[in-house]
Amino acid sequence: MTAVYKMEKNPPKKGSGKKIVLHPRIIPWGTLNTEALIEEGSKRSTYSRGDLKGAVRLIADMLTEKLEDGYNVYLDGIGYFSVSLRSRPVEDKKELRSESVHFKNVNFRCCAKLKKALKNIPLERYKEPKKTDFSQEEKERRLLWYLERHAYITTMGYQGLNGCTQYMARKELKQFVAEGILIEDGTKRLCIYTKRPEPIELPDNFVVDSNVGDM
């Protein structure tokens, strides 16, 4: 799969008077969680899903433990992890007690091996969808048709499907959620929308057998 990018405007600096310039930014296809990576990893190796899940959990626990102990940690092919601290500003170290120093963040520095592997990443420029004049009914029909063939749709996918701006795509998807047609999921940075399942209607004469009274 080829990575897709689009050109976006750099935020202008106050009082600079300079022209607005553009910079390229990757448009993610989605966010893969641990379960998705384990599922794919089990298909590409002789390790079972349980083996991979256990290994990931163990590495995550050990990474946390060693950072707590004051070590920097290097994972081969990934990069370096370290802890940064924060405190109030002082001029003399004697003005600060250990109780006033706190955790700030986990720093990550990509290793040279990973940078080299991604150096020649294949890229394709994002093609802005052509604007259309579909009615709201037609947009809903096209959306449901799409969700019959795919597990979910993103804002970018809806833009391409119905030929609208990002603003309108977000607005219309939120409206479909409010109407009970879609369910919103995912993260703040990447929302995904799935079709709300149809409620199961039980027949009027449906009876659940129970042997509680026979005991």
Side-chain angles (χ1 to χ4, degrees), residues 136 139 158 164-173:
Q136 198 62 24
K139 288 181 180 180
Y158 186 88
C164 58
T165 64
Q166 186 180 69
Y167 170 78
M168 287 304 299
R170 288 177 176 173
K171 182 179 178 180
E172 291 172 6
L173 286 167

Side-chain angles (χ1 to χ4, degrees), residues 111-152:
C111 71
K113 185 177 180 180
L114 181 55
K115 288 182 180 180
K116 184 178 180 181
L118 296 174
K119 187 175 181 180
N120 297 317
I121 177 174
L123 293 167
E124 179 181 325
R125 187 169 177 175
Y126 173 67
K127 296 179 181 178
E128 293 286 348
K130 295 181 180 179
K131 292 184 179 181
T132 60
D133 293 320
F134 293 135
S135 66
Q136 198 62 24
E137 292 75 15
E138 177 64 12
K139 288 181 180 180
E140 181 178 337
R141 188 193 68 78
R142 292 168 65 87
L143 172 66
L144 296 177
W145 174 88
Y146 181 91
L147 290 176
E148 287 176 1
R149 293 158 177 78
H150 302 82
Y152 63 87

Side-chain angles (χ1 to χ4, degrees), residues 1-161:
M1 183 179 289
T2 302
V4 177
Y5 74 95
K6 70 183 299 185
M7 302 302 295
E8 294 199 341
K9 296 178 181 179
N10 289 341
K13 295 181 180 179
K14 292 183 179 180
S16 63
K18 294 182 180 179
K19 294 181 178 179
I20 296 177
V21 295
L22 305 175
H23 70 278
R25 183 177 69 85
I26 288 284
I27 303 177
W29 293 108
T31 300
L32 296 176
N33 59 20
T34 305
E35 287 296 328
L37 292 176
I38 287 175
E39 181 66 29
E40 183 172 343
S42 66
K43 296 176 181 177
R44 294 170 54 175
S45 69
T46 57
Y47 299 108
S48 68
R49 294 181 76 258
D51 292 336
L52 292 173
K53 194 169 185 177
V56 171
R57 182 70 267 170
L58 178 61
I59 291 174
D61 289 344
M62 292 182 67
L63 173 63
T64 304
E65 179 185 317
K66 297 308 176 185
L67 290 176
E68 286 180 339
D69 290 342
Y71 287 94
N72 291 342
V73 178
Y74 170 70
L75 295 181
D76 186 31
I78 298 176
Y80 299 83
F81 296 83
S82 62
V83 168
S84 61
L85 305 174
R86 60 182 174 85
S87 70
R88 60 182 177 84
V90 296
E91 295 182 357
D92 189 331
K93 61 183 180 182
K94 294 180 181 179
E95 298 178 36
L96 201 67
R97 296 183 300 173
S98 295
E99 293 82 0
S100 301
V101 180
H102 305 283
F103 166 83
K104 181 181 180 182
N105 204 353
V106 174
N107 302 320
F108 171 72
R109 180 163 58 88
C110 178
C111 71
K113 185 177 180 180
L114 181 55
K115 288 182 180 180
K116 184 178 180 181
L118 296 174
K119 187 175 181 180
N120 297 317
I121 177 174
L123 293 167
E124 179 181 325
R125 187 169 177 175
Y126 173 67
K127 296 179 181 178
E128 293 286 348
K130 295 181 180 179
K131 292 184 179 181
T132 60
D133 293 320
F134 293 135
S135 66
Q136 198 62 24
E137 292 75 15
E138 177 64 12
K139 288 181 180 180
E140 181 178 337
R141 188 193 68 78
R142 292 168 65 87
L143 172 66
L144 296 177
W145 174 88
Y146 181 91
L147 290 176
E148 287 176 1
R149 293 158 177 78
H150 302 82
Y152 63 87
I153 191 169
T154 62
T155 304
M156 187 175 73
Y158 186 88
Q159 281 183 258
L161 181 69

